Amino acid sequence: MVVRAYLPALAALVAAVVCMLWTSLFGGVSRLHALVPYVKWLPPAFLLAALITGLISTLRLWNWKSGKAPRCAGCGGPLSRLHHGAQGDFRKCLACGGKQTQNT
């Protein structure tokens, strides 16, 4: 559950590292040298995205732990955002994967 919560932040960190490696390894290649000024701004953007998504995940887990967020009726795990489906609105449990219908 925690791995799934922080997966977007981890993906952004990996993308930042890949961009940093790209600029350091291919910065001297004459054909790719023209792209380096543009690619050098991607790591800070990806690091900012990782920070923001990590903070959002932390706040969501904190709210669930303190009882401010909706919980799964079966396992007590945190529920995802509201999804609109053909059978009505529902939330998916991030721990067990079960679906919970919403009456409102």
Side-chain angles (χ1 to χ4, degrees):
M1 174 180 70
V2 173
V3 172
R4 272 191 281 165
Y6 287 104
L7 196 59
L10 183 63
L13 281 175
V14 168
V17 169
V18 167
C19 289
M20 284 186 257
L21 286 174
W22 191 89
T23 56
S24 65
L25 294 176
F26 300 119
V29 177
S30 61
R31 289 186 185 185
L32 300 175
H33 188 67
L35 295 176
V36 170
Y38 303 109
V39 176
K40 74 176 184 178
W41 291 103
L42 289 178
F46 281 127
L47 289 174
L48 182 64
L51 178 70
I52 291 171
T53 56
L55 284 174
I56 289 171
S57 296
T58 301
L59 288 174
R60 288 182 70 196
L61 289 174
W62 185 308
N63 284 335
W64 165 70
K65 190 73 173 167
S66 64
K68 297 176 186 173
R71 295 176 178 259
C72 178
C75 71
L79 296 176
S80 69
R81 63 180 176 82
L82 191 63
H83 298 280
H84 303 290
Q87 286 88 20
D89 296 341
F90 68 94
R91 292 180 186 266
K92 191 171 181 182
C93 178
L94 298 177
C96 68
K99 291 184 180 178
Q100 306 245 335
T101 59
Q102 297 291 325
N103 297 332
T104 324

